[in-house]
Amino acid sequence: MLVVSTREFRQNQKSYLDRIDAGAQVFIQRGKNRCYAVSAVKEDDTLMTEEEFLLKTDNDAAMYGYLLKQDPAGKEYLTEQESKDFESWLGV
């Protein structure tokens, strides 16, 4: 684990980024009360929207009041579920 100042990191970025790529943990200290962790983005790291996340499973989508539907071409999309359907799904 390495803790460096912002100035040190800025002056030797390549060296620290190479260390991060090799698996080192690098923290950048900014002033007295701020610290930042720097890490490499890995191939399996993904970013997705809330809608994309909800599309992953029907049950999760239903929990949040959405229905998973398919258009005529077979593409899945979310639509808001009517409240009475949602309440019946919850057993209310």
Side-chain angles (χ1 to χ4, degrees), residues 22-74:
Q25 291 181 313
V26 175
F27 297 90
I28 301 171
Q29 182 74 38
R30 181 180 179 199
K32 293 181 181 180
N33 298 322
R34 293 184 183 174
C35 188
Y36 303 89
V38 182
S39 63
V41 176
K42 298 178 182 162
E43 196 171 307
D44 60 343
D45 290 341
T46 59
L47 296 175
M48 64 178 86
T49 65
E50 183 179 354
E51 183 177 1
E52 290 169 329
F53 177 76
L54 292 174
L55 280 170
K56 296 296 180 189
T57 64
D58 291 356
N59 290 337
D60 285 347
M63 281 177 45
Y64 290 100
Y66 293 94
L67 285 175
L68 185 62
K69 293 189 175 184
Q70 284 188 341
D71 65 13

